[in-house]
Amino acid sequence: MKVLGISFGRRNSNCDILVKEALYGAKEAMPDAEISFVNTMRMEIGRCRGCGACSTNLEKGRDNDCVFKDDFQALENQVREADAIILGAPVYALTPVGQFKDFVDRFSCRHDYSAITWVLDKRRNGEMPGNADDFPMERLKKRTVSYISVGGAVTDNWTSLGTPILHIFGFPPMMKVMGNYNANNMGHIGNPLLDDELIADMHEMGKRTVLGYSDDSIEFFQPKSKPQGVCPVCHQRLITILPGTTKVECPICGIEGQLTIEDDAVKVTFSQEQQNRARGTFAGLREHTTEIQSFGAICGPKIMANKEKLDKLMKERIKGFDENINK
């Protein structure tokens, strides 16, 4: 088994310490595991430029490597090889650091389990060029993952979008999440190594991350000192209230639940049917693939029918903005 630790924080600082401690736990649970660690601080990982080359190539039945060359590919290759991943990122302004999001924006579309299997099915049926056996199948391999969000704030709602946003990484390739941990309060703790309970939690989460790869009886890691999650799938505490109803949604998993109040306490229930279509499941991803595939039939004719109008408006309102706005 190959276990990869990824830290998006400063070198030898809190993120590195916590991710490495989880890797120690992984090694204890599986002594034969091949452990590797990468800190991304010195990596150049540019933002997704929305060129669409990856999606276009995939739809044509080809591999969809990113056409822009920087350090993204090196990190993506390490993720491809890994069987279990521990990922940590600092929170500076409510959400994980921007470099993480830049990586995920370029990673996700190239590892979408539903989109890739859709292409493979098209190839097998002769509806797309290429042989299904030639596709890099490691993009569809089974993986487990755990997330660590690191922040200085004592009040955990200042880091409340840390672990939820980290979940975006594992959705497309359907990674099995074994734990997520909001390691806030670093402003008081000083250094994670001074908090025995925190270090023990990291160690245990690392163990479960590797053990859960082949053993479905291994439970999701929920630290005793942290509030319990509301969503049974992603274990986050966030909910979106649908106005005028008692229905709610998990904004991370995209599933609908029912809100009730029992003994002055709020309770949210998600049916098994809804859980089965969460974003990290094949059913949830396929819903999204089907939606995206419908765009061309809708947008293409609409744009062509309004071509002259759009050409005129683009010239007047957009391309001529600098001249028109200052008249």
Side-chain angles (χ1 to χ4, degrees):
M1 170 179 261
K2 293 186 177 182
V3 185
L4 173 65
I6 307 174
S7 169
F8 285 89
R10 292 178 296 158
R11 291 169 63 85
N12 295 321
S13 194
N14 296 333
C15 271
D16 279 21
I17 294 169
L18 294 173
V19 171
K20 288 180 178 179
E21 189 58 44
L23 293 176
Y24 279 122
K27 187 68 171 179
E28 179 183 320
M30 195 163 292
D32 294 334
E34 181 182 325
I35 307 291
S36 58
F37 172 83
V38 58
N39 178 288
T40 68
M41 181 60 70
R42 296 180 183 176
M43 287 182 147
E44 294 294 331
I45 301 176
R47 55 162 289 186
C48 176
R49 306 185 200 188
C51 70
C54 58
S55 298
T56 299
N57 285 333
L58 185 63
E59 290 172 1
K60 290 180 178 179
R62 299 197 294 260
D63 196 358
N64 59 345
D65 283 338
C66 185
V67 297
F68 295 102
K69 306 305 177 186
D70 54 15
D71 293 328
F72 165 80
Q73 194 61 55
L75 182 57
E76 196 258 5
N77 287 342
Q78 288 183 281
V79 173
R80 279 200 201 192
E81 295 176 0
D83 300 299
I85 299 168
I86 308 289
L87 188 151
V91 170
Y92 299 142
L94 290 181
T95 66
V97 66
Q99 189 192 44
F100 164 78
K101 190 59 168 57
D102 286 339
F103 175 75
V104 168
D105 283 347
R106 294 169 67 184
F107 174 86
S108 298
C109 57
R110 301 180 55 242
H111 288 263
D112 188 300
Y113 200 103
S114 172
I116 291 172
T117 55
W118 180 82
V119 168
L120 295 179
D121 288 342
K122 294 286 186 181
R123 283 187 176 188
R124 294 186 182 103
N125 295 334
E127 300 174 51
M128 275 188 175
N131 189 323
D133 296 333
D134 294 335
F135 199 87
M137 296 303 289
E138 70 272 13
R139 294 193 185 178
L140 300 179
K141 70 184 290 186
K142 176 182 178 181
R143 297 181 184 88
T144 54
V145 64
S146 288
Y147 302 114
I148 307 167
S149 165
V150 184
V154 178
T155 307
D156 73 348
N157 65 31
W158 275 100
T159 56
S160 60
L161 297 180
T163 57
I165 300 302
L166 292 180
H167 274 258
I168 300 173
F169 169 70
F171 281 153
M174 290 172 52
M175 295 184 188
K176 180 183 178 182
V177 183
M178 294 305 302
N180 50 229
Y181 199 104
N182 179 17
N184 64 305
N185 197 28
M186 286 300 153
H188 281 185
I189 294 172
N191 185 302
L193 295 172
L194 299 176
D195 189 323
D196 293 340
E197 183 179 359
L198 174 58
I199 292 300
D201 283 345
M202 292 298 102
H203 203 80
E204 177 62 24
M205 191 164 70
K207 291 169 65 174
R208 297 196 193 189
T209 306
V210 295
L211 293 175
Y213 180 83
S214 56
D215 186 351
D216 289 335
S217 70
I218 302 298
E219 296 181 352
F220 178 91
F221 177 67
Q222 176 63 54
K224 296 178 180 179
S225 60
K226 297 290 182 178
Q228 297 291 312
V230 174
C231 176
V233 179
C234 67
H235 301 272
Q236 301 301 313
R237 291 181 287 152
L238 306 180
I239 58 171
T240 300
I241 297 176
L242 303 181
T245 74
T246 56
K247 294 179 180 179
V248 298
E249 284 183 340
C250 171
I252 309 305
C253 294
I255 59 177
E256 186 178 286
Q258 186 68 42
L259 185 148
T260 58
I261 299 178
E262 300 177 10
D263 298 325
D264 293 328
V266 173
K267 181 180 179 181
V268 180
T269 304
F270 294 91
S271 69
Q272 190 60 52
E273 180 182 8
Q274 284 291 314
Q275 294 180 47
N276 291 342
R277 57 169 291 274
R279 285 197 177 103
T281 67
F282 184 79
L285 292 172
R286 181 48 59 94
E287 282 184 26
H288 188 51
T289 300
T290 302
E291 180 185 46
I292 290 175
Q293 293 304 317
S294 71
F295 292 170
I298 297 172
C299 289
K302 183 184 292 185
I303 291 174
M304 291 305 298
N306 293 277
K307 188 175 186 307
E308 291 186 8
K309 177 181 178 180
L310 283 172
D311 287 345
K312 180 181 179 180
L313 291 174
M314 286 293 292
K315 183 178 180 180
E316 292 178 353
R317 306 294 296 174
I318 307 302
K319 295 181 180 179
F321 175 82
D322 290 336
E323 297 156 1
N324 294 334
I325 201 71
N326 293 313
K327 283 183 178 179

